[in-house]
Amino acid sequence: MMRILHVIGAMDRGGAETTVMNLYRAVDRAVVQFDFLVHEERACDFDEEIGDLGGRLYRVPRFTGVNLPRYARLCREVLGAHPEHRVVHGHIGSSAAVYLSEAKRAGRFAIAHSHAQFFLPGLAGLAFRAVSWPTRYVADYFFACSPEAGRDRFGRRVVEGDRFSVLNGGIDLGLYACGDSERQHAKRAFGVEGRPVFGHVGRLAPEKNHAFLLDVFARVREELPDAVLLLAGRGPLEDDLRAQVRALGLDGAVEFLGVREDVPEVLRALDVFLLPSVKEGLALAAVEAQAVGLPCVLSTGVPSLARITDRAIRMPLESGAAAWAQRAVELWRAVPQSGWTDCAADVRAAGFDVRQTAAWLTDFYRRAEESRRA
């Protein structure tokens, strides 16, 4: 059995961690096992499940730049203590050049994986680029969730070369089956029966652009006074967004659901999914929403790869909140009252069935291991 070391941040729900866990659940664990080098001392959302699935957790402190010698030494010690990890799959960009260099010195196959386009502004962004830039000269192979995410992190030359692949963030399509009865059950569960329901799933962070989303929803309410907005996720902007809800007079119309384990059920309760992100690596939530069959309004900051069905449209943020609201209302008015069908088949055909992705990745790991043995 192969054991693959994934280098990742806090194993909490959202972002790269959710994508990796989707893959971990889907792989044949008699053939390949995932272990995790985690940059967080506290217990995280997925820690217990990882143990239940047979994975191991190793911990190092977050990379700050000033702790470079200690950080490199700790990574080197983990690798030295676990020679069974012939492949190191890195998901953290800021320190990838460090831990992948240690992996290469230890004779391991080093993979760099980009899950996002670049977000950090100002000096923080310049610092990130400075420390992550050497990664493109260190890694043996490169993955990204979209061509845009690959170009942003690794450069055009890597993406157009023969050591790069887009690795689709797959989902378990069986969880997203949806018809009239499933929608009615979900709407009853969330107490939104008979109301126009708009929604969003994502971390409450600047790149997701929730402030714009709330402005859009305020205008939707001018047309549909009984509309409700469901927001699933947590993040650093929650207090600011709650204050904006009060300032816009949307108390009682916006529900902060927090982190959910039942995202498919949240999506089944919606009528229209809104994703006005400034930038996204891919936006797996958009894939999930389309699997359920939802009409979606996505920003052009969301890669075109994420638009799978003809029920989804992409709009520039420059169109403004009023235009977004008008389009969202138009999509709501077109929602069928009965005969709802999901779009799982379209999502599968687009390559986002996690079982297909897991099988491809397992084969890739096997070839990578063989190359290191050779």
Side-chain angles (χ1 to χ4, degrees), residues 76-357:
R76 187 161 57 248
E77 289 175 357
V78 171
L79 290 163
H82 298 281
E84 68 272 20
H85 299 129
R86 293 183 179 273
V87 176
V88 176
H89 189 155
H91 305 274
I92 296 180
S94 58
S95 59
V98 181
Y99 63 76
L100 292 182
S101 290
E102 295 298 336
K104 293 286 288 293
R105 290 191 186 99
R108 318 301 168 82
F109 189 93
I111 302 169
H113 195 150
S114 174
H115 293 268
Q117 292 190 65
F118 191 70
F119 300 135
L120 297 174
L123 291 176
L126 291 174
F128 180 90
R129 288 194 182 278
V131 297
S132 64
W133 185 271
T135 303
R136 63 190 68 188
Y137 304 107
V138 172
D140 293 304
Y141 205 87
F142 303 84
F143 288 143
C145 57
S146 66
E148 292 90 337
R151 282 193 294 269
D152 188 83
R153 182 67 54 82
F154 308 128
R156 186 175 298 276
R157 181 176 296 179
V158 167
V159 171
E160 294 176 354
D162 59 3
R163 294 186 298 130
F164 172 83
S165 294
V166 170
L167 186 67
N168 287 338
I171 60 175
D172 182 350
L173 290 169
L175 301 176
Y176 297 85
C178 188
D180 289 341
S181 62
E182 289 85 1
R183 280 173 55 76
Q184 291 163 8
H185 179 273
K187 287 177 178 294
R188 283 195 300 270
F190 287 97
V192 294
E193 287 181 285
R195 301 179 68 179
V197 189
F198 299 80
H200 177 276
V201 176
R203 190 164 179 266
L204 306 181
E207 62 270 14
K208 299 294 184 180
N209 205 13
H210 286 86
F212 179 85
L213 174 59
L214 291 176
D215 286 340
V216 170
F217 182 65
R219 294 173 184 268
V220 167
R221 290 267 294 183
E222 294 173 4
E223 291 288 324
L224 305 171
D226 60 340
V228 62
L229 177 67
L230 303 183
L231 299 177
R234 67 182 170 204
L237 295 185
E238 182 168 345
D239 290 342
D240 292 341
L241 295 171
R242 288 184 180 274
Q244 185 181 353
V245 166
R246 292 190 293 271
L248 291 170
L250 296 175
D251 292 289
V254 178
E255 296 188 30
F256 290 83
L257 303 177
V259 174
R260 305 289 301 203
E261 296 186 13
D262 60 346
V263 168
E265 189 73 353
V266 174
L267 293 171
R268 291 186 190 103
L270 306 184
D271 297 313
V272 178
F273 180 82
L274 302 171
L275 189 66
S277 301
V278 177
K279 275 189 176 182
E280 289 278 0
L282 174 76
L284 196 59
V287 176
E288 294 172 321
Q290 289 172 88
V292 168
L294 287 173
C296 302
V297 187
L298 314 174
S299 74
T300 50
V302 176
S304 58
L305 185 66
R307 182 184 179 272
I308 298 166
T309 74
D310 58 8
R311 300 183 193 183
I313 64 167
R314 294 168 77 234
M315 285 186 67
L317 294 173
E318 292 77 13
S319 298
W324 270 68
Q326 180 182 356
R327 195 70 181 99
V329 170
E330 289 171 355
L331 290 174
W332 177 80
R333 295 193 191 283
V335 169
Q337 297 303 305
S338 63
W340 184 275
T341 57
D342 61 48
C343 294
D346 295 322
V347 173
R348 181 178 291 107
F352 288 95
D353 183 335
V354 72
R355 289 176 175 80
Q356 296 173 348
T357 304

